[in-house]
mmCIF file of all heavy atoms in Angstrom:
data_model
loop_
_atom_site.group_PDB
_atom_site.id
_atom_site.type_symbol
_atom_site.label_atom_id
_atom_site.label_comp_id
_atom_site.label_asym_id
_atom_site.label_seq_id
_atom_site.Cartn_x
_atom_site.Cartn_y
_atom_site.Cartn_z
ATOM 1 N N LYS A 1 -63.771 -37.918 101.675
ATOM 2 C CA LYS A 1 -65.176 -38.321 101.824
ATOM 3 C C LYS A 1 -65.829 -38.665 100.487
ATOM 4 O O LYS A 1 -66.778 -39.437 100.441
ATOM 5 C CB LYS A 1 -65.968 -37.207 102.507
ATOM 6 C CG LYS A 1 -65.577 -36.937 103.954
ATOM 7 C CD LYS A 1 -66.442 -35.849 104.572
ATOM 8 C CE LYS A 1 -66.071 -35.597 106.033
ATOM 9 N NZ LYS A 1 -66.905 -34.526 106.646
ATOM 10 N N HIS A 2 -65.341 -38.051 99.419
ATOM 11 C CA HIS A 2 -65.963 -38.233 98.106
ATOM 12 C C HIS A 2 -65.056 -39.087 97.213
ATOM 13 O O HIS A 2 -63.916 -38.715 96.944
ATOM 14 C CB HIS A 2 -66.214 -36.870 97.442
ATOM 15 C CG HIS A 2 -67.080 -35.958 98.257
ATOM 16 N ND1 HIS A 2 -66.563 -35.119 99.230
ATOM 17 C CD2 HIS A 2 -68.435 -35.772 98.264
ATOM 18 C CE1 HIS A 2 -67.552 -34.440 99.791
ATOM 19 N NE2 HIS A 2 -68.697 -34.826 99.230
ATOM 20 N N LYS A 3 -65.558 -40.235 96.798
ATOM 21 C CA LYS A 3 -64.779 -41.159 95.990
ATOM 22 C C LYS A 3 -64.518 -40.569 94.601
ATOM 23 O O LYS A 3 -65.426 -40.040 93.961
ATOM 24 C CB LYS A 3 -65.492 -42.494 95.848
ATOM 25 C CG LYS A 3 -65.776 -43.193 97.190
ATOM 26 C CD LYS A 3 -64.483 -43.517 97.928
ATOM 27 C CE LYS A 3 -64.766 -44.254 99.223
ATOM 28 N NZ LYS A 3 -63.524 -44.518 99.989
ATOM 29 N N MET A 4 -63.277 -40.695 94.143
ATOM 30 C CA MET A 4 -62.916 -40.169 92.835
ATOM 31 C C MET A 4 -63.264 -41.167 91.724
ATOM 32 O O MET A 4 -63.802 -40.804 90.692
ATOM 33 C CB MET A 4 -61.419 -39.842 92.793
ATOM 34 C CG MET A 4 -60.935 -39.257 91.470
ATOM 35 S SD MET A 4 -59.197 -38.743 91.534
ATOM 36 C CE MET A 4 -58.379 -40.308 91.804
ATOM 37 N N SER A 5 -62.928 -42.416 91.956
ATOM 38 C CA SER A 5 -63.204 -43.462 90.963
ATOM 39 C C SER A 5 -63.546 -44.741 91.715
ATOM 40 O O SER A 5 -62.710 -45.643 91.853
ATOM 41 C CB SER A 5 -61.977 -43.665 90.052
ATOM 42 O OG SER A 5 -62.243 -44.631 89.070
ATOM 43 N N PRO A 6 -64.773 -44.832 92.220
ATOM 44 C CA PRO A 6 -65.141 -45.922 93.140
ATOM 45 C C PRO A 6 -64.963 -47.325 92.582
ATOM 46 O O PRO A 6 -64.628 -48.241 93.332
ATOM 47 C CB PRO A 6 -66.614 -45.638 93.455
ATOM 48 C CG PRO A 6 -67.072 -44.624 92.463
ATOM 49 C CD PRO A 6 -65.877 -43.888 91.998
ATOM 50 N N LYS A 7 -65.166 -47.515 91.297
ATOM 51 C CA LYS A 7 -65.037 -48.854 90.722
ATOM 52 C C LYS A 7 -63.581 -49.216 90.441
ATOM 53 O O LYS A 7 -63.181 -50.367 90.599
ATOM 54 C CB LYS A 7 -65.864 -48.952 89.435
ATOM 55 C CG LYS A 7 -67.360 -48.912 89.660
ATOM 56 C CD LYS A 7 -68.118 -49.137 88.369
ATOM 57 C CE LYS A 7 -69.630 -49.141 88.622
ATOM 58 N NZ LYS A 7 -70.399 -49.352 87.360
ATOM 59 N N LEU A 8 -62.801 -48.244 90.002
ATOM 60 C CA LEU A 8 -61.418 -48.513 89.631
ATOM 61 C C LEU A 8 -60.480 -48.461 90.828
ATOM 62 O O LEU A 8 -59.631 -49.336 91.012
ATOM 63 C CB LEU A 8 -60.958 -47.509 88.563
ATOM 64 C CG LEU A 8 -59.515 -47.632 88.071
ATOM 65 C CD1 LEU A 8 -59.261 -49.028 87.514
ATOM 66 C CD2 LEU A 8 -59.230 -46.568 87.011
ATOM 67 N N SER A 9 -60.629 -47.437 91.652
ATOM 68 C CA SER A 9 -59.743 -47.273 92.809
ATOM 69 C C SER A 9 -60.553 -46.707 93.980
ATOM 70 O O SER A 9 -60.544 -45.494 94.224
ATOM 71 C CB SER A 9 -58.576 -46.350 92.453
ATOM 72 O OG SER A 9 -57.621 -46.315 93.470
ATOM 73 N N PRO A 10 -61.253 -47.565 94.697
ATOM 74 C CA PRO A 10 -62.198 -47.119 95.729
ATOM 75 C C PRO A 10 -61.564 -46.337 96.877
ATOM 76 O O PRO A 10 -62.255 -45.607 97.583
ATOM 77 C CB PRO A 10 -62.813 -48.422 96.253
ATOM 78 C CG PRO A 10 -62.092 -49.530 95.603
ATOM 79 C CD PRO A 10 -61.228 -49.015 94.536
ATOM 80 N N LYS A 11 -60.256 -46.470 97.082
ATOM 81 C CA LYS A 11 -59.604 -45.775 98.194
ATOM 82 C C LYS A 11 -59.217 -44.336 97.850
ATOM 83 O O LYS A 11 -58.891 -43.561 98.745
ATOM 84 C CB LYS A 11 -58.369 -46.550 98.645
ATOM 85 C CG LYS A 11 -58.690 -47.908 99.270
ATOM 86 C CD LYS A 11 -57.436 -48.592 99.767
ATOM 87 C CE LYS A 11 -57.758 -49.936 100.395
ATOM 88 N NZ LYS A 11 -56.537 -50.622 100.899
ATOM 89 N N LYS A 12 -59.225 -43.985 96.579
ATOM 90 C CA LYS A 12 -58.835 -42.634 96.173
ATOM 91 C C LYS A 12 -60.036 -41.690 96.276
ATOM 92 O O LYS A 12 -61.143 -42.043 95.872
ATOM 93 C CB LYS A 12 -58.282 -42.627 94.749
ATOM 94 C CG LYS A 12 -56.958 -43.377 94.606
ATOM 95 C CD LYS A 12 -56.386 -43.219 93.198
ATOM 96 C CE LYS A 12 -55.124 -44.051 93.025
ATOM 97 N NZ LYS A 12 -54.030 -43.601 93.888
ATOM 98 N N SER A 13 -59.777 -40.492 96.798
ATOM 99 C CA SER A 13 -60.857 -39.517 96.984
ATOM 100 C C SER A 13 -60.570 -38.229 96.228
ATOM 101 O O SER A 13 -59.420 -37.949 95.847
ATOM 102 C CB SER A 13 -61.016 -39.195 98.471
ATOM 103 O OG SER A 13 -59.866 -38.531 98.967
ATOM 104 N N ILE A 14 -61.626 -37.457 96.006
ATOM 105 C CA ILE A 14 -61.472 -36.156 95.353
ATOM 106 C C ILE A 14 -60.639 -35.228 96.232
ATOM 107 O O ILE A 14 -59.799 -34.459 95.735
ATOM 108 C CB ILE A 14 -62.851 -35.543 95.063
ATOM 109 C CG1 ILE A 14 -63.598 -36.399 94.040
ATOM 110 C CG2 ILE A 14 -62.718 -34.107 94.559
ATOM 111 C CD1 ILE A 14 -65.017 -35.950 93.762
ATOM 112 N N GLU A 15 -60.844 -35.315 97.542
ATOM 113 C CA GLU A 15 -60.038 -34.504 98.465
ATOM 114 C C GLU A 15 -58.562 -34.865 98.351
ATOM 115 O O GLU A 15 -57.689 -33.990 98.366
ATOM 116 C CB GLU A 15 -60.519 -34.715 99.903
ATOM 117 C CG GLU A 15 -61.902 -34.166 100.202
ATOM 118 C CD GLU A 15 -63.038 -35.094 99.787
ATOM 119 O OE1 GLU A 15 -62.756 -36.194 99.261
ATOM 120 O OE2 GLU A 15 -64.204 -34.724 100.000
ATOM 121 N N GLY A 16 -58.295 -36.165 98.230
ATOM 122 C CA GLY A 16 -56.919 -36.619 98.061
ATOM 123 C C GLY A 16 -56.324 -36.139 96.752
ATOM 124 O O GLY A 16 -55.142 -35.789 96.686
ATOM 125 N N LEU A 17 -57.144 -36.120 95.700
ATOM 126 C CA LEU A 17 -56.693 -35.640 94.397
ATOM 127 C C LEU A 17 -56.184 -34.207 94.498
ATOM 128 O O LEU A 17 -55.057 -33.903 94.073
ATOM 129 C CB LEU A 17 -57.844 -35.721 93.390
ATOM 130 C CG LEU A 17 -57.609 -35.030 92.040
ATOM 131 C CD1 LEU A 17 -56.513 -35.732 91.253
ATOM 132 C CD2 LEU A 17 -58.904 -34.987 91.230
ATOM 133 N N PHE A 18 -57.000 -33.329 95.065
ATOM 134 C CA PHE A 18 -56.595 -31.922 95.179
ATOM 135 C C PHE A 18 -55.458 -31.746 96.180
ATOM 136 O O PHE A 18 -54.576 -30.902 95.991
ATOM 137 C CB PHE A 18 -57.798 -31.055 95.562
ATOM 138 C CG PHE A 18 -58.765 -30.834 94.434
ATOM 139 C CD1 PHE A 18 -59.958 -31.527 94.380
ATOM 140 C CD2 PHE A 18 -58.457 -29.946 93.418
ATOM 141 C CE1 PHE A 18 -60.847 -31.334 93.333
ATOM 142 C CE2 PHE A 18 -59.337 -29.741 92.363
ATOM 143 C CZ PHE A 18 -60.535 -30.434 92.320
ATOM 144 N N GLY A 19 -55.472 -32.561 97.234
ATOM 145 C CA GLY A 19 -54.375 -32.498 98.205
ATOM 146 C C GLY A 19 -53.048 -32.867 97.579
ATOM 147 O O GLY A 19 -52.021 -32.238 97.849
ATOM 148 N N GLY A 20 -53.075 -33.890 96.706
ATOM 149 C CA GLY A 20 -51.857 -34.316 96.032
ATOM 150 C C GLY A 20 -51.352 -33.283 95.051
ATOM 151 O O GLY A 20 -50.143 -33.029 94.957
ATOM 152 N N ILE A 21 -52.273 -32.668 94.315
ATOM 153 C CA ILE A 21 -51.887 -31.653 93.324
ATOM 154 C C ILE A 21 -51.294 -30.419 94.011
ATOM 155 O O ILE A 21 -50.221 -29.927 93.640
ATOM 156 C CB ILE A 21 -53.100 -31.255 92.462
ATOM 157 C CG1 ILE A 21 -53.507 -32.435 91.566
ATOM 158 C CG2 ILE A 21 -52.785 -30.019 91.616
ATOM 159 C CD1 ILE A 21 -54.789 -32.216 90.805
ATOM 160 N N ILE A 22 -51.998 -29.920 95.033
ATOM 161 C CA ILE A 22 -51.503 -28.740 95.754
ATOM 162 C C ILE A 22 -50.221 -29.085 96.509
ATOM 163 O O ILE A 22 -49.263 -28.300 96.534
ATOM 164 C CB ILE A 22 -52.574 -28.220 96.731
ATOM 165 C CG1 ILE A 22 -53.793 -27.716 95.951
ATOM 166 C CG2 ILE A 22 -52.010 -27.101 97.607
ATOM 167 C CD1 ILE A 22 -54.989 -27.374 96.806
ATOM 168 N N GLY A 23 -50.181 -30.293 97.091
ATOM 169 C CA GLY A 23 -48.982 -30.724 97.808
ATOM 170 C C GLY A 23 -47.773 -30.813 96.902
ATOM 171 O O GLY A 23 -46.668 -30.404 97.281
ATOM 172 N N ALA A 24 -47.969 -31.350 95.692
ATOM 173 C CA ALA A 24 -46.866 -31.433 94.733
ATOM 174 C C ALA A 24 -46.381 -30.035 94.357
ATOM 175 O O ALA A 24 -45.182 -29.788 94.213
ATOM 176 C CB ALA A 24 -47.308 -32.196 93.485
ATOM 177 N N GLY A 25 -47.330 -29.109 94.199
ATOM 178 C CA GLY A 25 -46.961 -27.728 93.898
ATOM 179 C C GLY A 25 -46.136 -27.114 95.018
ATOM 180 O O GLY A 25 -45.142 -26.416 94.768
ATOM 181 N N LEU A 26 -46.522 -27.370 96.263
ATOM 182 C CA LEU A 26 -45.782 -26.842 97.409
ATOM 183 C C LEU A 26 -44.391 -27.468 97.506
ATOM 184 O O LEU A 26 -43.418 -26.791 97.861
ATOM 185 C CB LEU A 26 -46.562 -27.088 98.702
ATOM 186 C CG LEU A 26 -47.867 -26.288 98.842
ATOM 187 C CD1 LEU A 26 -48.619 -26.720 100.100
ATOM 188 C CD2 LEU A 26 -47.574 -24.786 98.885
ATOM 189 N N LEU A 27 -44.287 -28.756 97.177
ATOM 190 C CA LEU A 27 -42.976 -29.395 97.154
ATOM 191 C C LEU A 27 -42.090 -28.743 96.096
ATOM 192 O O LEU A 27 -40.891 -28.533 96.319
ATOM 193 C CB LEU A 27 -43.120 -30.893 96.861
ATOM 194 C CG LEU A 27 -43.656 -31.770 97.986
ATOM 195 C CD1 LEU A 27 -43.836 -33.207 97.494
ATOM 196 C CD2 LEU A 27 -42.716 -31.749 99.187
ATOM 197 N N GLY A 28 -42.682 -28.433 94.939
ATOM 198 C CA GLY A 28 -41.936 -27.739 93.890
ATOM 199 C C GLY A 28 -41.468 -26.376 94.348
ATOM 200 O O GLY A 28 -40.338 -25.952 94.068
ATOM 201 N N LEU A 29 -42.340 -25.667 95.068
ATOM 202 C CA LEU A 29 -41.990 -24.342 95.588
ATOM 203 C C LEU A 29 -40.839 -24.446 96.589
ATOM 204 O O LEU A 29 -39.875 -23.662 96.535
ATOM 205 C CB LEU A 29 -43.218 -23.718 96.241
ATOM 206 C CG LEU A 29 -43.135 -22.240 96.649
ATOM 207 C CD1 LEU A 29 -44.513 -21.602 96.600
ATOM 208 C CD2 LEU A 29 -42.567 -22.111 98.072
ATOM 209 N N LEU A 30 -40.911 -25.402 97.505
ATOM 210 C CA LEU A 30 -39.844 -25.586 98.487
ATOM 211 C C LEU A 30 -38.534 -25.987 97.810
ATOM 212 O O LEU A 30 -37.451 -25.510 98.188
ATOM 213 C CB LEU A 30 -40.248 -26.654 99.507
ATOM 214 C CG LEU A 30 -41.390 -26.278 100.455
ATOM 215 C CD1 LEU A 30 -41.807 -27.478 101.308
ATOM 216 C CD2 LEU A 30 -40.964 -25.120 101.364
ATOM 217 N N TYR A 31 -38.644 -26.860 96.819
ATOM 218 C CA TYR A 31 -37.445 -27.265 96.074
ATOM 219 C C TYR A 31 -36.842 -26.065 95.347
ATOM 220 O O TYR A 31 -35.627 -25.969 95.182
ATOM 221 C CB TYR A 31 -37.798 -28.370 95.085
ATOM 222 C CG TYR A 31 -36.609 -28.925 94.324
ATOM 223 C CD1 TYR A 31 -35.549 -29.526 94.989
ATOM 224 C CD2 TYR A 31 -36.557 -28.849 92.932
ATOM 225 C CE1 TYR A 31 -34.474 -30.045 94.305
ATOM 226 C CE2 TYR A 31 -35.480 -29.366 92.229
ATOM 227 C CZ TYR A 31 -34.438 -29.955 92.918
ATOM 228 O OH TYR A 31 -33.357 -30.465 92.237
ATOM 229 N N GLY A 32 -37.708 -25.138 94.933
ATOM 230 C CA GLY A 32 -37.247 -23.935 94.241
ATOM 231 C C GLY A 32 -36.349 -23.071 95.105
ATOM 232 O O GLY A 32 -35.462 -22.372 94.593
ATOM 233 N N LEU A 33 -36.569 -23.094 96.431
ATOM 234 C CA LEU A 33 -35.705 -22.331 97.335
ATOM 235 C C LEU A 33 -34.259 -22.809 97.243
ATOM 236 O O LEU A 33 -33.319 -22.019 97.345
ATOM 237 C CB LEU A 33 -36.213 -22.474 98.776
ATOM 238 C CG LEU A 33 -37.598 -21.877 99.063
ATOM 239 C CD1 LEU A 33 -38.048 -22.241 100.476
ATOM 240 C CD2 LEU A 33 -37.587 -20.367 98.855
ATOM 241 N N PHE A 34 -34.096 -24.122 97.045
ATOM 242 C CA PHE A 34 -32.765 -24.689 96.840
ATOM 243 C C PHE A 34 -32.301 -24.502 95.399
ATOM 244 O O PHE A 34 -31.153 -24.167 95.133
ATOM 245 C CB PHE A 34 -32.789 -26.183 97.190
ATOM 246 C CG PHE A 34 -31.649 -26.975 96.616
ATOM 247 C CD1 PHE A 34 -30.399 -26.948 97.202
ATOM 248 C CD2 PHE A 34 -31.836 -27.749 95.475
ATOM 249 C CE1 PHE A 34 -29.347 -27.673 96.666
ATOM 250 C CE2 PHE A 34 -30.791 -28.480 94.925
ATOM 251 C CZ PHE A 34 -29.542 -28.453 95.532
ATOM 252 N N LEU A 35 -33.249 -24.682 94.465
ATOM 253 C CA LEU A 35 -32.901 -24.716 93.050
ATOM 254 C C LEU A 35 -32.445 -23.368 92.503
ATOM 255 O O LEU A 35 -31.575 -23.308 91.630
ATOM 256 C CB LEU A 35 -34.115 -25.196 92.247
ATOM 257 C CG LEU A 35 -33.881 -25.631 90.799
ATOM 258 C CD1 LEU A 35 -32.930 -26.817 90.757
ATOM 259 C CD2 LEU A 35 -35.208 -25.995 90.143
ATOM 260 N N LYS A 36 -32.996 -22.275 93.008
ATOM 261 C CA LYS A 36 -32.730 -20.971 92.405
ATOM 262 C C LYS A 36 -31.270 -20.543 92.509
ATOM 263 O O LYS A 36 -30.839 -19.649 91.770
ATOM 264 C CB LYS A 36 -33.640 -19.905 93.000
ATOM 265 C CG LYS A 36 -33.434 -19.617 94.475
ATOM 266 C CD LYS A 36 -34.418 -18.532 94.917
ATOM 267 C CE LYS A 36 -34.213 -18.163 96.376
ATOM 268 N NZ LYS A 36 -35.171 -17.087 96.791
ATOM 269 N N SER A 37 -30.515 -21.169 93.407
ATOM 270 C CA SER A 37 -29.092 -20.852 93.503
ATOM 271 C C SER A 37 -28.229 -21.805 92.679
ATOM 272 O O SER A 37 -27.003 -21.701 92.682
ATOM 273 C CB SER A 37 -28.641 -20.889 94.972
ATOM 274 O OG SER A 37 -28.828 -22.191 95.520
ATOM 275 N N HIS A 38 -28.867 -22.730 91.953
ATOM 276 C CA HIS A 38 -28.127 -23.723 91.173
ATOM 277 C C HIS A 38 -28.465 -23.709 89.685
ATOM 278 O O HIS A 38 -27.913 -24.497 88.920
ATOM 279 C CB HIS A 38 -28.375 -25.126 91.724
ATOM 280 C CG HIS A 38 -27.812 -25.351 93.092
ATOM 281 N ND1 HIS A 38 -28.482 -24.991 94.241
ATOM 282 C CD2 HIS A 38 -26.621 -25.873 93.499
ATOM 283 C CE1 HIS A 38 -27.745 -25.299 95.299
ATOM 284 N NE2 HIS A 38 -26.628 -25.829 94.880
ATOM 285 N N ILE A 39 -29.389 -22.857 89.283
ATOM 286 C CA ILE A 39 -29.725 -22.741 87.862
ATOM 287 C C ILE A 39 -29.624 -21.280 87.457
ATOM 288 O O ILE A 39 -29.593 -20.398 88.323
ATOM 289 C CB ILE A 39 -31.148 -23.284 87.568
ATOM 290 C CG1 ILE A 39 -32.208 -22.428 88.277
ATOM 291 C CG2 ILE A 39 -31.279 -24.739 87.987
ATOM 292 C CD1 ILE A 39 -33.635 -22.819 87.902
ATOM 293 N N PRO A 40 -29.549 -20.994 86.150
ATOM 294 C CA PRO A 40 -29.482 -19.602 85.700
ATOM 295 C C PRO A 40 -30.651 -18.791 86.248
ATOM 296 O O PRO A 40 -31.762 -19.318 86.394
ATOM 297 C CB PRO A 40 -29.557 -19.729 84.177
ATOM 298 C CG PRO A 40 -29.000 -21.080 83.890
ATOM 299 C CD PRO A 40 -29.439 -21.942 85.032
ATOM 300 N N PRO A 41 -30.417 -17.515 86.584
ATOM 301 C CA PRO A 41 -31.483 -16.676 87.158
ATOM 302 C C PRO A 41 -32.742 -16.670 86.296
ATOM 303 O O PRO A 41 -32.683 -16.496 85.077
ATOM 304 C CB PRO A 41 -30.834 -15.283 87.198
ATOM 305 C CG PRO A 41 -29.372 -15.549 87.238
ATOM 306 C CD PRO A 41 -29.151 -16.784 86.420
ATOM 307 N N THR A 42 -33.873 -16.887 86.926
ATOM 308 C CA THR A 42 -35.163 -16.919 86.242
ATOM 309 C C THR A 42 -36.169 -16.142 87.082
ATOM 310 O O THR A 42 -36.277 -16.367 88.287
ATOM 311 C CB THR A 42 -35.665 -18.363 86.065
ATOM 312 O OG1 THR A 42 -34.682 -19.128 85.366
ATOM 313 C CG2 THR A 42 -36.962 -18.393 85.280
ATOM 314 N N SER A 43 -36.896 -15.248 86.448
ATOM 315 C CA SER A 43 -37.884 -14.450 87.179
ATOM 316 C C SER A 43 -39.041 -15.328 87.647
ATOM 317 O O SER A 43 -39.447 -16.274 86.955
ATOM 318 C CB SER A 43 -38.414 -13.310 86.305
ATOM 319 O OG SER A 43 -39.060 -13.828 85.155
ATOM 320 N N LEU A 44 -39.546 -15.032 88.819
ATOM 321 C CA LEU A 44 -40.694 -15.743 89.396
ATOM 322 C C LEU A 44 -40.476 -17.249 89.458
ATOM 323 O O LEU A 44 -41.399 -18.052 89.269
ATOM 324 C CB LEU A 44 -41.971 -15.436 88.587
ATOM 325 C CG LEU A 44 -42.378 -13.962 88.486
ATOM 326 C CD1 LEU A 44 -43.564 -13.806 87.550
ATOM 327 C CD2 LEU A 44 -42.705 -13.394 89.864
ATOM 328 N N ILE A 45 -39.254 -17.672 89.768
ATOM 329 C CA ILE A 45 -38.907 -19.090 89.743
ATOM 330 C C ILE A 45 -39.774 -19.909 90.699
ATOM 331 O O ILE A 45 -40.215 -21.012 90.364
ATOM 332 C CB ILE A 45 -37.405 -19.294 90.060
ATOM 333 C CG1 ILE A 45 -37.030 -20.778 90.051
ATOM 334 C CG2 ILE A 45 -37.044 -18.669 91.395
ATOM 335 C CD1 ILE A 45 -37.144 -21.441 88.714
ATOM 336 N N LEU A 46 -40.057 -19.380 91.888
ATOM 337 C CA LEU A 46 -40.848 -20.140 92.858
ATOM 338 C C LEU A 46 -42.281 -20.339 92.375
ATOM 339 O O LEU A 46 -42.841 -21.438 92.495
ATOM 340 C CB LEU A 46 -40.836 -19.429 94.214
ATOM 341 C CG LEU A 46 -39.470 -19.282 94.893
ATOM 342 C CD1 LEU A 46 -39.616 -18.617 96.255
ATOM 343 C CD2 LEU A 46 -38.790 -20.634 95.036
ATOM 344 N N LEU A 47 -42.880 -19.298 91.826
ATOM 345 C CA LEU A 47 -44.236 -19.414 91.289
ATOM 346 C C LEU A 47 -44.271 -20.383 90.123
ATOM 347 O O LEU A 47 -45.187 -21.208 90.013
ATOM 348 C CB LEU A 47 -44.743 -18.036 90.851
ATOM 349 C CG LEU A 47 -46.126 -18.008 90.175
ATOM 350 C CD1 LEU A 47 -47.189 -18.537 91.125
ATOM 351 C CD2 LEU A 47 -46.465 -16.592 89.700
ATOM 352 N N LYS A 48 -43.273 -20.300 89.249
ATOM 353 C CA LYS A 48 -43.234 -21.178 88.079
ATOM 354 C C LYS A 48 -43.104 -22.642 88.497
ATOM 355 O O LYS A 48 -43.761 -23.520 87.925
ATOM 356 C CB LYS A 48 -42.079 -20.776 87.168
ATOM 357 C CG LYS A 48 -42.310 -19.467 86.423
ATOM 358 C CD LYS A 48 -41.124 -19.103 85.549
ATOM 359 C CE LYS A 48 -41.378 -17.811 84.782
ATOM 360 N NZ LYS A 48 -40.223 -17.411 83.955
#
């Protein structure tokens, strides 16, 4: 509903910005479920 940069990219929204950031983080977390068995043990790997 709220335009992020109306003159430069009118279709992009602030809601989309945060959705993309949180979504990318969740993708990283899901990828971590696969990754943790393929890299050296690291504490809090999913959070990181």
